[in-house]
Structure formats: C-alpha cells, structure tokens
Amino acid sequence: MGMKGKIALGAVVGVVVIGVVSANAGDNGSGSASGSNSGEHSSASAQHGSGGGKAQAAEKKKPAFAGDGDFRVGSDVKPGTYRTTGNTDGMCYWERAKDAKGETDSILANDNVSGTSYVTVKATDKLFKSNGCKDWEAVDTKAKGTPAARMSGDGGMFGVGSDIAPGTYRSTGNKDDSCYWERTKDADHSLHSIIANNNVTGTAVVTISPGDAYFKTTGCGDWKKAA
C-alpha cells in the first residue's frame, strides 16, 4: 500500500506551482522532493519542528495513534490536528479518505513526508491511513512555543508562530527545481489550503505572514530569516 501511495503521489507532487496547482494538488496540495542540508542547532528541525518552548515540550505526550495502520475517524481517531515528526526520505505516507473502498476517488488528501507533517482530520472524514510514519501526536493549534528564525530546508511542515517566526526567509544553492516551498492557511492539504507555492532553482526568498498557519519546505537549502 505504501508503494502504491508513493507511486500515485510521485506523479503529481514536487512540481506544483500556483497556476498549475489545480491540476495536481486537489488531493495533495504539497510537494515532495529529496535532498537537503540538515538544520543547524539553532534552527527548527525535522526532528522537533520547533525552536523549543514549554508549550511544545508539553505537546510531546504519548502518541495519539501509531504510524502504521488504517484508523476509523470517530472511533479509532478523533477529529483534530495531528503531527508526525522525524520521518526520513519521504517514506512516510498518509491519507485522508472519505470511505474505506481504497479507490483513487476515496482520497481527500495525501502526502509523502520527509521531516514533519501536520494533518487536520475532519469529523466528515471516514478513514485516516498511515504507512511508514513515526507515531502521530495530538497538537494544540493554539499553543505557542519559542519560534525559531531558521529551519531545515527538508524539514517538512512548520507551524507559523510556534515552530518558526513570521518574516522573510532565504534559501540558497537550490538545483534543478528540487526545492519546493508552500505557504498554507491550514493543515487540510486541499487545493484551497495553499496560499502560495513554488519550485525553485538557485536562491529562494519567501515572506511568511503572521496569518499563515504553516510553511512547508522539501528539498531546499536551509532557510534563514533576513535581518
């Protein structure tokens, strides 16, 4: 199943930009690419997705559910926002589904993850699938940590205001459009979640607004906030 999901995603993610995203990201809304420098010790990292803070530390409770399995929404998994972190090489695959038929039309949203992913499971979802992921933990979306001014370029998703601070960030040394970034207004991973996105060669400069919910980065050089 994991490979099936990865193959299906491989055809549509990592090449989406605003303007053509409607043809690709209705189910995914995100990019998946490989290769990046590791985050510096002062940056938000793929392992923790945060610069620190008591609220983030308190969030590290026992997992809400395992990283492998099919979970029925409402009985196995409660609606809410969840996070998996510490994933490597895009081997983590998750899927929100409207039924348990296992068909392409069943998929509401999905992604292959390197680093961290946040996902909001809705009460109207029927099934949440997770394959090859680290365990999922419940997230208090109102909690604030100590946001960092740097982040790993392959760290996945970072919460704006909790993991990273708003501001203008710069990533350098990107090759062959392998760097994909995305500003989102929520963790639904739908087409409507995307505020802006791009694939970049060379230097990337992005302003993350205080009103953004998350910033996603895959396959990029590490990001540093401009002075």
Side-chain angles (χ1 to χ4, degrees), residues 4-22:
K4 179 181 178 182
K6 286 177 68 59
I7 292 171
L9 273 166
V12 296
V13 299
V15 294
V16 291
V17 294
I18 289 298
V20 298
V21 73
S22 59

Side-chain angles (χ1 to χ4, degrees), residues 33-216:
S34 62
S36 172
N37 298 323
S38 60
E40 298 181 33
H41 64 87
S42 60
S43 69
S45 70
Q47 292 294 325
H48 301 288
S50 171
K54 293 182 179 180
Q56 290 289 335
E59 229 173 78
K60 274 287 188 183
K61 300 176 181 178
K62 67 177 183 178
F65 55 95
D68 287 292
D70 295 349
F71 305 93
R72 296 164 300 171
V73 178
S75 54
D76 300 326
V77 175
K78 296 179 181 179
T81 299
Y82 298 89
R83 175 177 64 185
T84 179
T85 192
N87 300 287
T88 57
D89 301 326
M91 296 306 293
C92 164
Y93 173 80
W94 64 260
E95 178 182 305
R96 291 174 49 221
K98 63 182 181 181
D99 54 46
K101 294 180 180 179
E103 301 174 358
T104 301
D105 290 344
S106 301
I107 300 173
L108 296 169
N110 63 353
D111 200 9
N112 286 105
V113 180
S114 288
T116 297
S117 184
Y118 289 83
V119 181
T120 297
V121 177
K122 295 187 174 183
T124 50
D125 296 354
K126 297 301 181 183
L127 201 67
F128 184 81
K129 300 183 179 183
S130 180
N131 182 265
C133 302
K134 299 293 185 180
D135 290 347
W136 294 83
E137 60 185 11
V139 173
D140 179 0
T141 56
K142 295 181 180 179
K144 299 296 181 182
T146 304
R150 300 184 180 187
M151 58 184 147
S152 169
D154 204 36
M157 290 178 71
F158 298 92
V160 178
S162 56
D163 298 333
I164 56 168
T168 299
Y169 289 78
R170 186 170 179 265
S171 169
T172 61
N174 300 298
K175 299 179 181 179
D176 302 325
D177 279 346
S178 62
C179 169
Y180 174 82
W181 63 261
E182 181 178 294
R183 294 169 51 216
T184 71
K185 63 183 180 181
D186 54 44
D188 294 357
H189 296 267
S190 70
L191 171 64
H192 302 293
S193 300
I194 300 174
I195 299 169
N197 65 348
N198 203 8
N199 287 98
V200 181
T201 296
T203 299
V205 178
V206 180
T207 296
I208 301 171
S209 299
D212 295 356
Y214 300 95
F215 182 76
K216 181 175 182 177

